[in-house]
Amino acid sequence: DGGITQSPKYLFRKEGQNVTLSCEQNLNHDAMYWYRQDPGQGLRLIYYSQIVNDFQKGDIAEGYSVSREKKESFPLTVTSAQKNPTAFYLCASSTTSQETQYFGPGTRLLVL
Amino acid sequence: AQSVAQPEDQVNVAEGNPLTVKCTYSVSGNPYLFWYVQYPNRGLQFLLKYITGDNLVKGSYGFEAEFNKSQTSFHLKKPSALVSDSALYFCAVRDFGRGSTLGRLYFGRGTQLTVWP
């Protein structure tokens, strides 16, 4: 997990509320990614960013939003439009010239 | 389209025995292949990758994987399993398509490895 931090470790969301998950990396990586993990479904890509101020939708972007204002930060907002947000969220980063993605420790989002 | 299949949801093996976790892939060009391991409530840890060269790739914690182009497989192996190897294992393939999909990973659903004493 080293070099990538995610906070909080656990997050509780009330119905109709937007919540933001933090992801920070000190690896000087250009690319950052957000995945959602549900039991038995593996990892699904939500959003990714190859460079600062640019990002693309992944496979399940509906109900989520991101920003990439700084190289080291890629926060994910789970909006009220996401009707089933309970999951384990993983952030990753990689250099654009190196293929390996490195993952943070994850945030578990629960709905009250 | 790129895809990865891990045909076994669970693999059980006795400590000291060899283990294999299977992975097959489908890509349009040359594949870049990865194995990751996940312990409960933790992020994924990188184990090893195949880019080019020797078909047998050695990685962390005594794991290795064999790339077989004709069978489009990249099975993870270890000669002697440990109880501490019990975890969830993911195979992934890198997409090098054009445009905005450049560089994204496609993951399999994961295989739960249980090593019993």
Side-chain angles (χ1 to χ4, degrees), chain A residues 37 48 50 59 99 101, chain B residues 36 38 94 100 102 104:
Chain A
Q37 184 178 16
Y48 60 107
Q50 297 289 334
D59 300 323
E99 294 76 24
Q101 290 185 19
Chain B
Y36 287 86
Q38 184 181 36
R94 189 87 175 190
S100 62
L102 183 67
R104 62 165 293 179

Side-chain angles (χ1 to χ4, degrees), chain B residues 15-77:
Chain B
E15 187 172 34
N17 283 0
L19 70 87
T20 299
V21 182
K22 296 179 180 177
C23 172
T24 59
Y25 65 90
S26 174
V27 295
S28 55
N30 291 323
Y32 285 29
L33 295 154
F34 302 81
W35 275 102
Y36 287 86
V37 61
Q38 184 181 36
Y39 296 96
N41 296 310
R42 302 290 299 276
L44 273 66
Q45 295 179 28
F46 169 71
L47 277 179
L48 52 81
K49 67 181 178 183
Y50 171 81
I51 303 297
T52 187
D54 194 346
N55 290 344
L56 185 64
V57 179
K58 294 189 182 298
S60 306
Y61 313 119
F63 284 93
E64 58 189 26
E66 186 169 10
F67 171 64
N68 188 317
K69 188 172 183 178
S70 63
Q71 296 184 7
T72 63
S73 67
F74 190 56
H75 301 332
L76 181 70
K77 300 181 180 182

Side-chain angles (χ1 to χ4, degrees), chain A residues 6-66:
Chain A
Q6 291 186 241
S7 62
K9 186 172 183 178
Y10 295 95
L11 185 58
F12 298 90
R13 193 191 90 162
K14 296 179 181 178
E15 194 169 339
Q17 185 182 37
N18 293 352
V19 292
T20 297
L21 285 61
S22 170
C23 177
E24 304 276 334
Q25 53 97 2
N26 62 5
L27 301 170
N28 200 34
H29 285 171
D30 286 316
M32 297 186 75
Y33 311 82
W34 273 107
Y35 294 91
R36 170 177 170 145
Q37 184 178 16
D38 296 280
Q41 294 195 46
L43 275 69
R44 292 183 289 171
L45 184 65
I46 305 172
Y47 269 98
Y48 60 107
S49 169
Q50 297 289 334
I51 56 173
V52 175
N53 293 321
D54 186 47
F55 50 83
Q56 289 82 39
K57 294 181 179 180
D59 300 323
I60 55 166
E62 185 175 353
Y64 300 97
S65 65
V66 294

